Coordinates of all heavy atoms in Angstrom, one line a residue:
A17 N 19.7 9.6 73.6 CA 18.5 10.3 74.1 C 17.7 11.0 73.0 O 16.4 10.9 73.0 CB 18.9 11.3 75.3
A18 N 18.4 11.6 72.1 CA 17.7 12.5 71.0 C 17.0 11.5 70.0 O 16.0 12.0 69.4 CB 18.7 13.3 70.3
A19 N 17.5 10.2 70.0 CA 17.0 9.3 69.0 C 15.6 8.8 69.3 O 14.9 8.3 68.6 CB 17.9 8.1 68.8
G20 N 15.2 9.1 70.6 CA 13.8 8.7 71.0 C 13.6 7.3 71.1 O 14.3 6.7 72.1
G21 N 12.9 6.5 70.3 CA 12.6 5.1 70.4 C 11.7 5.0 71.7 O 11.0 5.9 72.2
S22 N 11.9 3.8 72.4 CA 11.2 3.6 73.7 C 11.8 4.3 74.8 O 11.4 4.3 76.0 CB 11.1 2.1 73.9 OG 12.4 1.6 74.1
G23 N 13.1 4.9 74.6 CA 13.8 5.6 75.7 C 14.6 4.7 76.5 O 15.2 5.2 77.5
K24 N 14.6 3.4 76.2 CA 15.3 2.5 77.1 C 16.4 1.7 76.5 O 16.9 0.7 76.9 CB 14.3 1.5 77.6 CG 13.2 2.0 78.5 CD 12.3 0.9 79.2 CE 11.6 0.2 78.3 NZ 10.2 0.7 78.0
A25 N 17.0 2.3 75.4 CA 18.1 1.6 74.8 C 19.4 1.7 75.7 O 19.7 2.6 76.3 CB 18.5 2.3 73.4
Q26 N 20.1 0.5 75.7 CA 21.3 0.4 76.5 C 22.5 0.3 75.5 O 22.4 0.0 74.3 CB 21.3 -0.9 77.2 CG 20.2 -1.1 78.1 CD 20.4 -0.4 79.5 OE1 21.6 -0.4 80.0 NE2 19.4 0.3 79.9
L27 N 23.7 0.8 76.0 CA 24.9 0.9 75.2 C 25.8 -0.3 75.5 O 26.0 -0.5 76.7 CB 25.5 2.2 75.5 CG 27.0 2.4 74.9 CD1 26.8 2.5 73.4 CD2 27.6 3.6 75.4
L28 N 26.1 -1.0 74.5 CA 27.2 -2.0 74.6 C 28.5 -1.3 74.0 O 28.6 -0.9 72.8 CB 26.9 -3.2 73.8 CG 28.0 -4.3 73.7 CD1 28.2 -4.9 75.1 CD2 27.6 -5.4 72.8
A29 N 29.5 -1.2 74.8 CA 30.9 -0.6 74.3 C 31.6 -1.7 73.6 O 32.0 -2.7 74.2 CB 31.6 0.0 75.6
V30 N 31.8 -1.6 72.4 CA 32.6 -2.6 71.6 C 34.0 -2.3 71.6 O 34.6 -1.4 71.0 CB 32.0 -2.6 70.1 CG1 32.9 -3.6 69.4 CG2 30.6 -3.0 70.1
S31 N 34.7 -3.1 72.5 CA 36.1 -2.9 72.8 C 37.1 -3.8 72.0 O 38.3 -3.8 72.4 CB 36.3 -3.1 74.3 OG 35.7 -4.3 74.7
K32 N 36.6 -4.4 71.0 CA 37.6 -5.3 70.3 C 38.7 -4.4 69.7 O 38.5 -3.3 69.3 CB 36.9 -6.0 69.0 CG 36.4 -5.0 68.1 CD 35.9 -5.7 66.7 CE 35.2 -4.7 65.9 NZ 33.9 -5.0 65.4
L33 N 40.0 -4.9 69.8 CA 41.2 -4.3 69.3 C 41.4 -2.9 70.0 O 42.1 -2.1 69.5 CB 41.2 -4.1 67.8 CG 40.9 -5.4 67.0 CD1 40.8 -5.1 65.5 CD2 42.1 -6.4 67.3
Q34 N 40.9 -2.7 71.1 CA 41.1 -1.6 72.0 C 41.9 -2.0 73.2 O 41.9 -3.2 73.6 CB 39.8 -0.8 72.4 CG 38.9 -0.5 71.3 CD 39.4 0.7 70.4 OE1 40.4 1.4 70.7 NE2 38.8 1.0 69.3
T35 N 42.5 -1.1 73.9 CA 43.4 -1.5 75.0 C 42.6 -1.7 76.2 O 41.5 -1.1 76.4 CB 44.5 -0.5 75.3 OG1 43.8 0.8 75.7 CG2 45.4 -0.1 74.0
T36 N 43.2 -2.4 77.3 CA 42.6 -2.6 78.5 C 42.5 -1.3 79.3 O 41.7 -1.0 80.1 CB 43.3 -3.6 79.4 OG1 44.7 -3.4 79.4 CG2 43.1 -5.1 78.7
A37 N 43.5 -0.4 79.0 CA 43.6 0.8 79.6 C 42.3 1.6 79.2 O 41.6 2.4 80.0 CB 44.8 1.7 79.3
A38 N 42.0 1.6 78.0 CA 40.8 2.3 77.5 C 39.5 1.7 78.1 O 38.6 2.4 78.4 CB 40.7 2.3 76.0
I39 N 39.4 0.5 78.3 CA 38.3 -0.3 78.9 C 38.1 0.3 80.3 O 37.1 0.6 80.7 CB 38.4 -1.8 78.8 CG1 38.4 -2.2 77.3 CG2 37.3 -2.4 79.5 CD1 38.5 -3.7 77.1
R40 N 39.3 0.3 81.0 CA 39.3 0.8 82.4 C 38.7 2.2 82.5 O 37.9 2.5 83.4 CB 40.6 0.8 83.0 CG 41.1 -0.6 83.5 CD 42.3 -0.5 84.3 NE 42.7 -1.9 84.5 CZ 42.3 -2.7 85.5 NH1 41.4 -2.3 86.3 NH2 42.7 -4.0 85.6
E41 N 39.1 3.0 81.5 CA 38.7 4.4 81.5 C 37.1 4.5 81.4 O 36.4 5.3 82.0 CB 39.4 5.2 80.5 CG 39.4 6.6 80.7 CD 40.1 7.5 79.7 OE1 41.1 6.9 79.0 OE2 39.9 8.7 79.5
V42 N 36.6 3.8 80.3 CA 35.2 3.8 80.1 C 34.4 3.1 81.3 O 33.3 3.7 81.6 CB 34.9 3.2 78.8 CG1 33.4 2.9 78.6 CG2 35.5 3.9 77.6
Y43 N 35.0 2.1 81.9 CA 34.4 1.5 83.0 C 34.2 2.5 84.2 O 33.1 2.6 84.8 CB 35.2 0.3 83.4 CG 34.7 -0.5 84.7 CD1 33.8 -1.6 84.5 CD2 35.0 0.0 85.9 CE1 33.3 -2.3 85.6 CE2 34.5 -0.8 87.1 CZ 33.7 -1.9 86.9 OH 33.2 -2.6 87.9
A44 N 35.3 3.2 84.4 CA 35.3 4.2 85.4 C 34.2 5.3 85.2 O 33.7 6.0 86.2 CB 36.7 4.9 85.6
L45 N 33.7 5.5 84.0 CA 32.7 6.4 83.7 C 31.3 5.8 84.0 O 30.2 6.5 83.7 CB 32.7 6.9 82.3 CG 34.1 7.6 81.9 CD1 34.2 7.8 80.4 CD2 34.1 9.0 82.6
G46 N 31.2 4.5 84.3 CA 30.0 3.8 84.6 C 29.5 2.8 83.7 O 28.5 2.1 84.0
Q47 N 30.3 2.6 82.5 CA 29.8 1.6 81.6 C 30.3 0.3 82.0 O 31.3 0.0 82.6 CB 30.6 1.9 80.2 CG 30.3 0.9 79.1 CD 29.0 1.0 78.6 OE1 28.3 2.0 78.6 NE2 28.4 -0.1 78.1
R48 N 29.2 -0.7 81.9 CA 29.5 -2.1 82.5 C 29.5 -3.1 81.4 O 30.1 -4.3 81.6 CB 28.4 -2.4 83.6 CG 28.5 -1.7 84.9 CD 29.9 -2.0 85.6 NE 30.1 -1.1 86.7 CZ 30.9 0.0 86.7 NH1 31.4 0.5 85.6 NH2 31.1 0.7 87.8
D49 N 28.8 -2.9 80.3 CA 28.7 -3.9 79.3 C 29.7 -3.7 78.2 O 29.7 -2.6 77.6 CB 27.3 -4.0 78.6 CG 26.3 -4.5 79.7 OD1 25.9 -3.8 80.6 OD2 26.0 -5.8 79.6
F50 N 30.6 -4.7 77.9 CA 31.6 -4.6 76.8 C 31.5 -5.7 75.8 O 31.1 -6.8 76.2 CB 33.0 -4.5 77.4 CG 33.2 -3.2 78.2 CD1 32.8 -3.0 79.4 CD2 33.8 -2.2 77.5 CE1 33.0 -1.9 80.2 CE2 34.0 -1.0 78.2 CZ 33.7 -0.9 79.6
G51 N 31.7 -5.4 74.5 CA 31.6 -6.5 73.5 C 32.9 -6.8 72.8 O 33.7 -5.8 72.5
E52 N 33.2 -8.0 72.6 CA 34.4 -8.5 72.0 C 34.0 -9.5 70.8 O 33.1 -10.1 70.8 CB 35.4 -9.2 73.0 CG 35.8 -8.2 74.1 CD 37.0 -7.5 73.6 OE1 37.6 -7.8 72.6 OE2 37.3 -6.4 74.2
N53 N 34.9 -9.5 69.9 CA 34.8 -10.4 68.7 C 35.6 -11.6 68.6 O 35.2 -12.6 68.0 CB 35.1 -9.6 67.4 CG 34.1 -8.5 67.0 OD1 33.8 -7.7 67.9 ND2 33.5 -8.5 65.9
Y54 N 36.6 -11.5 69.4 CA 37.6 -12.7 69.3 C 37.8 -13.4 70.6 O 38.1 -12.7 71.6 CB 38.9 -12.2 68.7 CG 38.8 -11.3 67.5 CD1 39.0 -9.9 67.6 CD2 38.5 -11.9 66.2 CE1 38.7 -9.1 66.5 CE2 38.3 -11.1 65.2 CZ 38.4 -9.6 65.2 OH 38.2 -8.8 64.2

Side-chain angles (χ1 to χ4, degrees):
S22 64
K24 292 192 295 271
Q26 301 281 316
L27 173 65
L28 177 67
V30 176
S31 48
K32 64 171 175 235
L33 306 175
Q34 306 289 352
T35 63
T36 53
I39 295 175
R40 281 188 187 278
E41 198 179 340
V42 172
Y43 181 92
L45 299 168
Q47 178 69 28
R48 292 294 175 268
D49 289 82
F50 290 84
E52 292 282 338
N53 288 54
Y54 312 104

